[in-house]
Amino acid sequence: MKVLLVGSGGREHALAWKLRQSPRLGKLYCAPGNAGIAQIAECVPIGAEDVAKLVDFAKDHAIDFVVVGPEAPLTLGLADRLREAGFPVFGPSQAAAQLEGSKAFMKDLAAKAGIPTAWYGRFTDIEKAKAFVREKGAPIVVKASGLAAGKGVILCPTLQEALDAVDLMMAKREFGSAGDEIVIEEFLTGEEASYFALCDGQRAVAFSAAQDHKAVGDGDTGPNTGGMGAYSPAPVATPDVEAKIMERIVKPAVTGMADMGAPFTGVLFAGLMIKDGEPKLIEFNVRFGDPECQVLMSRLDGDLLEILHAAALGRLDQVRFGWKDETALVVVMAAEGYPGSYKKGTVIGGLNEAGKVEGVTVFHAGTKGQDGQILANGGRVLGVTAVGSSVKQAQARAYQAVERIHWPEGFCRRDIGWRAIAREA
Ligand SMILES: Nc1ncnc2c1ncn2[C@@H]1O[C@H](COP(=O)(O)OP(=O)(O)O)[C@@H](O)[C@H]1O
Ligand SMILES: [Mg+2]
């Protein structure tokens, strides 16, 4: 099969790496890819959001199957345009991608389907929003409904902070049109986890759990990032909790989407808060998490190409796969200054040596190749991923590999997996 993979992050490098292991894979193209992906696929210089060019490329190169990594092209209708042109696609339609693209849409679906989640109100009127905040009191959470690159959520411990957050989004328009509508919701407590399910429009198949570290600093301190590390499986997602997630959250959502004429095909990523064994939905995403994908791919025991292709064709009942009896953990290395401003173009060395540590694979995110060197080309740059017999062993291997990477302008957290390791002890 000739496959086109769309995206350029660590998530897409992990997908490319696992697709490569499939005996069914012929040629693999990636648009636009990165320096790591270029070692295992042919990268083509088309942006992930350039819908028209991607469709033309698929036609010109007689692509058999397209896998879309990031959410932005999905919310722009890339999967719809490709399907109209006759290509099977792993990734939801524009209508189904609203589950991520509009938090207000997602909350309405959850309410209609009876999915356990925080109570909420949705508002386009600033005074009505403030009245709701005053009525409910603090703590409370204020969210821009649209895509805001992971920055549109404000947790408000006090009433005043909540009123200020409403002003920030609706009067000052800090998040632009993403804040045209806002969602105000209940502040949930518990332990967070990410759950993944593959969907073929009708069916949903469990695809395991992971936990990530969003804050930039050790001890989960400092501003939030796209994710500084992750591990899988997630100890908090016991088999009993997993069953509740599938029955109460994932399946009702997939059925609800099919019933409204927007069947969901792709990976449904449920962000969850789990308390006393009871999962509640925080949000849905419509693609793999980054860096969660890196740990899921490291554990997957199966033919990724066959699995994703079956999902795209509505035949998930026909595939079988399992999970390695190992824990995977990824440490993200980022450019100094991230998530604020950072330099590009610094030289990274030692990657081959790092990859020789037992159980380790170094996935690239923001990198580019130039004159035989690997240069940093983004905020999050590498995902140093290790498998091991415990979280502790996977963590030790990942940091051993980090030590071999020579990149003075980069940094990473030193405590990825701490919560799970405390549980193991
Ligand atoms: N209702 C809530 N109660 C407590 N924490 C929340 C709530 N909603 C979101 N959060 C926290 O904020 C983070 C980001 O919120 P989320 O809805 O996932 O938006 P996004 O990922 O689009 O920024 C979550 O990972 C969680 O830590
Ligand atoms: Mg989130």
Side-chain angles (χ1 to χ4, degrees):
M1 244 190 274
K2 255 193 204 176
V3 178
L4 171 62
L5 172 65
V6 177
S8 61
R11 166 180 50 212
E12 287 77 24
H13 190 188
L15 291 170
W17 173 83
K18 196 68 191 171
L19 288 170
R20 259 277 151 247
Q21 294 170 20
S22 169
R24 291 160 206 241
L25 183 74
K27 181 97 188 166
L28 178 61
Y29 294 99
C30 186
N34 61 36
I37 296 172
Q39 293 166 5
I40 52 174
E42 182 175 330
C43 292
V44 292
I46 303 175
E49 290 164 43
D50 198 338
V51 173
K53 279 197 185 143
L54 290 168
V55 176
D56 285 344
F57 181 88
K59 288 180 183 163
D60 293 345
H61 292 78
I63 294 296
D64 297 305
F65 179 42
V66 184
V67 177
V68 184
E71 64 278 16
L74 295 167
T75 60
L76 294 173
L78 175 61
D80 307 71
R81 299 293 90 75
L82 285 164
R83 286 192 188 108
E84 284 158 15
F87 300 102
V89 186
F90 183 79
S93 67
Q94 188 167 30
Q98 285 182 88
L99 275 179
E100 175 163 2
S102 165
K103 291 190 192 292
F105 174 90
M106 182 279 285
K107 294 296 285 186
D108 283 356
L109 178 93
K112 208 165 139 200
I115 294 171
T117 184
W119 50 249
Y120 74 109
R122 54 184 285 188
F123 303 93
T124 49
D125 179 283
I126 189 163
E127 290 313 320
K128 286 188 184 144
K130 288 184 179 177
F132 184 76
V133 166
R134 288 195 190 92
E135 177 200 327
K136 294 293 186 180
I140 197 162
V141 181
V142 179
K143 301 184 170 184
S145 179
L147 289 183
K151 298 191 176 97
V153 171
I154 304 182
L155 308 179
C156 307
T158 66
L159 191 60
Q160 191 56 49
E161 284 163 282
L163 296 170
D164 291 347
V166 171
D167 271 330
L168 189 74
M169 291 180 194
M170 304 192 88
K172 300 190 183 123
R173 300 188 52 80
E174 176 76 15
F175 306 109
S177 61
D180 284 348
E181 182 164 25
I182 66 170
V183 169
I184 300 175
E185 65 181 41
E186 177 186 7
F187 183 91
L188 300 174
T189 57
E191 185 169 342
E192 257 189 277
S194 304
Y195 200 78
F196 299 86
L198 301 179
C199 307
D200 69 1
Q202 307 301 321
R203 293 174 203 84
V205 174
F207 204 68
S208 198
Q211 281 179 288
D212 72 337
H213 293 270
K214 294 184 196 357
V216 73
D218 285 5
D220 296 315
T221 56
N224 271 356
T225 68
M228 293 303 291
Y231 50 93
S232 175
V236 67
T238 60
D240 174 57
V241 170
E242 279 205 36
K244 288 178 185 165
I245 296 167
M246 285 302 292
E247 292 310 315
R248 298 178 189 172
I249 296 175
V250 172
K251 287 184 184 171
V254 172
T255 304
M257 294 303 290
D259 288 348
M260 73 166 72
F264 190 93
T265 300
V267 57
L268 187 61
F269 163 171
L272 304 161
M273 192 70 91
I274 300 167
K275 191 178 183 183
D276 303 326
E278 298 298 321
K280 282 192 178 172
L281 178 67
I282 295 177
E283 64 157 353
F284 280 128
N285 296 310
V286 300
R287 34 77 193 177
F288 283 110
D290 186 343
E292 290 96 326
C293 188
Q294 290 82 315
V295 287
L296 292 175
M297 292 306 129
S298 300
R299 288 181 56 225
L300 178 63
D301 186 4
D303 181 333
L304 183 69
L305 179 51
E306 182 187 12
I307 298 165
L308 300 187
H309 194 234
L313 298 182
R315 295 186 198 145
L316 266 181
D317 53 329
Q318 294 174 17
V319 288
R320 295 284 170 272
F321 58 87
W323 299 96
K324 292 176 188 154
D325 192 18
E326 284 180 312
T327 292
L329 181 142
V330 55
V331 175
V332 170
M333 297 187 76
E336 202 64 65
Y338 175 81
S341 58
Y342 52 81
K343 262 201 301 201
K344 286 186 180 179
T346 55
V347 179
I348 302 166
L351 291 170
N352 288 339
E353 291 310 307
K356 286 179 193 154
V357 176
E358 193 180 349
V360 168
T361 309
V362 181
F363 293 115
H364 290 223
T367 65
K368 73 171 187 189
Q370 197 176 297
D371 307 328
Q373 287 186 314
I374 302 289
L375 306 183
N377 193 39
R380 293 187 300 159
V381 173
L382 300 169
V384 182
T385 310
V387 294
S389 57
S390 62
V391 190
K392 201 170 173 178
Q393 187 185 49
Q395 189 205 51
R397 288 174 170 177
Y399 283 116
Q400 202 185 326
V402 165
E403 290 313 315
R404 295 186 181 188
I405 293 172
H406 184 75
W407 182 33
E409 297 85 1
F411 76 99
C412 64
R413 278 183 58 164
R414 294 282 157 185
D415 63 346
I416 299 303
W418 66 267
R419 195 178 275 111
I421 289 172
R423 274 184 198 242
E424 277 178 349

